[in-house]
Amino acid sequence: VTGVQTCALPIFYGFNDGLTANFGLVAGVVGADVAPHLVIVTGIAGAVADALSMGSSGYLAAASEAEVSARQVAIERDELRLMPDLEEKELALILQAKGLSADNARQSAAAMMRDPQRALDTKVQEELGIQPPSVTPLADGLVTGTATAVGAVIPILPFLVMPLGTAIWVSLSVSMAAHFAVGAARSVFTGRGLWASGRDMFLVGFGVAAAGYVLGDLLVKL
């Protein structure tokens, strides 16, 4: 379940970011009362920029986390080599905490120390809490960026196939429905109620769009 959550969360965060950010951007441009083609150009540019930004951020965050974990593992490896007696005692304490008797824990720790890789793996997982990553940094970046692009495209699709007046209301309706849907889907991982989670995401999306529209209108008047 944890692995599924780890893989799914970048998709939710990326999709939600792309949807919300570009919806707010499109609403701001609509509020500025510009020509229809400028709405499309701005929306597409915003979608591309947001997808690249989120994708690169996802990659860098995952890469940084992997680098920190690798450094901690390297330090633990050096400690096992330089301080074997102390590390063996720590292993015994870890095994005792997992339910082994003191004698069995000491014997098991001594056996582990004869296999450095096994001892290192145990220390890394039990003491440092480091688990093998479920996805690579590159995969994380690609998934996040793609999900962001998909979410960002939703508010601008109506403007590609409909007149401006109709497209505005269709974009609003579709985008708000998508906000509620992604919020409701997120409740599977957060444990919140489906309605409450969807409602909160709906209100956030509506608030961002309203702020964007008002700002666009004010900028034109100023």
Side-chain angles (χ1 to χ4, degrees), residues 2-222:
T2 301
V4 173
Q5 290 181 342
T6 302
C7 295
L9 286 178
I11 297 176
F12 279 103
Y13 287 134
F15 183 90
N16 181 61
D17 182 89
L19 175 63
T20 303
N22 218 34
F23 186 36
L25 177 62
V26 169
V29 177
V30 170
D33 196 23
V34 300
H37 72 277
L38 292 180
V39 177
I40 296 173
V41 171
T42 302
I44 292 175
V48 172
D50 201 23
L52 292 175
S53 175
M54 285 293 290
S56 59
S57 296
Y59 169 79
L60 292 173
S64 297
E65 184 177 350
E67 290 171 0
V68 170
S69 297
R71 176 171 172 75
Q72 291 178 314
V73 172
I75 292 173
E76 193 64 45
R77 183 183 291 109
D78 289 340
E79 290 178 350
L80 283 165
R81 178 173 56 86
L82 299 173
M83 301 178 292
D85 292 340
L86 178 59
E87 293 298 304
E88 184 176 328
K89 291 179 181 178
E90 289 185 357
L91 275 171
L93 290 174
I94 291 172
L95 295 172
Q96 276 188 261
K98 294 178 72 67
L100 270 65
S101 66
D103 288 340
N104 287 338
R106 284 193 295 269
Q107 292 173 8
S108 297
M112 283 184 182
M113 291 300 292
R114 291 193 289 271
D115 183 350
Q117 187 59 50
R118 182 185 175 194
L120 177 63
D121 291 343
T122 301
K123 291 294 296 294
V124 166
Q125 294 181 19
E126 300 297 338
E127 182 179 352
L128 301 180
I130 298 175
Q131 301 294 331
S134 57
V135 294
T136 65
L138 179 59
D140 191 293
L142 289 174
V143 168
T144 303
T146 301
T148 302
V150 172
V153 164
I154 290 176
I156 62 175
L157 282 178
F159 295 94
L160 298 174
V161 296
M162 298 177 181
L164 180 62
T166 304
I168 290 173
W169 293 107
V170 173
S171 177
L172 174 64
S173 301
V174 172
S175 297
M176 296 315 302
H179 273 95
F180 184 89
V182 74
R186 197 177 61 169
S187 67
V188 174
F189 303 102
T190 63
R192 294 191 65 201
L194 185 147
W195 170 257
S197 186
R199 176 203 60 204
D200 290 350
M201 194 65 69
F202 180 94
L203 292 175
V204 168
F206 189 84
V208 170
Y213 183 88
V214 171
L215 182 59
D217 184 56
L218 285 176
L219 288 175
V220 170
K221 291 179 179 178
L222 294 175

